[in-house]
Amino acid sequence: MTSAVPPPRTEAPAESREQRSSRRSIAAALLLGAVGAALALLASRQEWAHGTASVAGGSLPLSATGGDVTGVPAALAIVGLAALVAVFAVRRTGRVLVSLLLTLSGAGTIAAALIGVDDRAALDEKAATASGDAAATIGELSHTGWPYAAAAAGVLLLLAGLLALTYGRGWPAMSGRYERDGSPRPRKARRAPDPERPEEMWKALDRGEDPTRET
């Protein structure tokens, strides 16, 4: 006789405050780092400054992208993104060092972007090339808002690094089951062919095995 009373339901253990904090900090760091790196790369490809150069017969409009002004934000964005991924591949001191690298990538991006706000060297070089006069400079210089966007991207990377430095010790690392220790894997013992199944006997002969030998 079976009972009609359903078995009691087992409730999952409640998530601790530390676990919730760790999960939220991971999500925030990943979001800030990914958005910051993407924004820095995007800003580096946009127009940062434009002006006119005096050439024979008139003036020539010229523009400079973020990559023309400085390649630092784009390079540090890639370094920061790699550091963000590497945070989960290392432990202890290695994690602290990688988190510090991510933080410094953000700080460097901010500095390089703010320095590039008033930069005119890239356009002066283009003006000298266009006019054929090494002493030529750009005129009517103006800047866009993309250098500030690159600086904002650096702030996001910096915040991701600070989160990693503050909470990274409690973040999980990559599972060790995906790591290979180099030890040879044991081979599975082959089952002796069944004499009553001729196809297994032929397969054993094809492999160079003696089908009459018992294991």
Side-chain angles (χ1 to χ4, degrees):
M1 178 177 176
T2 59
S3 173
V5 179
R9 297 176 60 184
T10 57
E11 296 183 358
E15 189 178 32
S16 65
R17 181 178 300 178
E18 290 77 9
Q19 289 174 329
R20 289 195 300 270
S21 177
S22 176
R23 181 165 52 83
R24 290 171 182 172
S25 62
I26 291 174
L30 289 174
L31 179 61
L32 292 171
V35 173
L39 180 57
L41 291 173
L42 174 64
S44 296
R45 298 178 181 178
Q46 306 303 315
E47 182 180 297
W48 282 26
H50 51 81
T52 57
S54 298
V55 294
S59 61
L60 176 67
L62 296 173
S63 62
T65 65
D68 296 329
V69 175
T70 173
V72 174
L76 289 181
I78 297 174
V79 172
L81 192 60
L84 181 63
V85 175
V87 165
F88 300 95
V90 294
R91 296 178 176 88
R92 298 186 180 89
T93 305
R95 177 166 292 183
V96 174
L97 294 176
V98 172
S99 301
L100 183 60
L101 177 60
L102 175 58
T103 306
L104 293 176
S105 297
T109 300
I110 297 172
L114 293 179
I115 292 174
V117 168
D118 296 323
D119 183 87
R120 61 182 301 140
L123 281 177
D124 285 343
E125 183 179 351
K126 287 190 175 185
T129 302
S131 63
D133 181 5
T137 58
I138 197 72
E140 300 180 5
L141 178 66
S142 60
H143 292 80
T144 68
W146 282 108
Y148 297 102
V155 172
L156 297 180
L157 288 171
L158 177 63
L159 292 175
L162 293 176
L163 283 173
L165 284 172
T166 305
Y167 301 99
R169 294 181 182 274
W171 291 354
M174 290 183 180
S175 176
R177 64 176 179 161
Y178 297 106
E179 299 176 1
R180 301 182 61 180
D181 57 0
S183 58
R185 297 182 178 180
R187 291 187 177 182
K188 295 181 179 180
R190 292 187 180 274
R191 185 168 55 91
D194 187 356
E196 297 182 0
R197 302 186 63 180
E199 66 274 12
E200 293 190 5
M201 305 285 285
W202 285 111
K203 290 180 181 179
L205 289 173
D206 290 339
R207 293 193 299 266
E209 299 175 358
D210 184 1
T212 63
R213 186 183 62 184
E214 297 183 359
T215 58

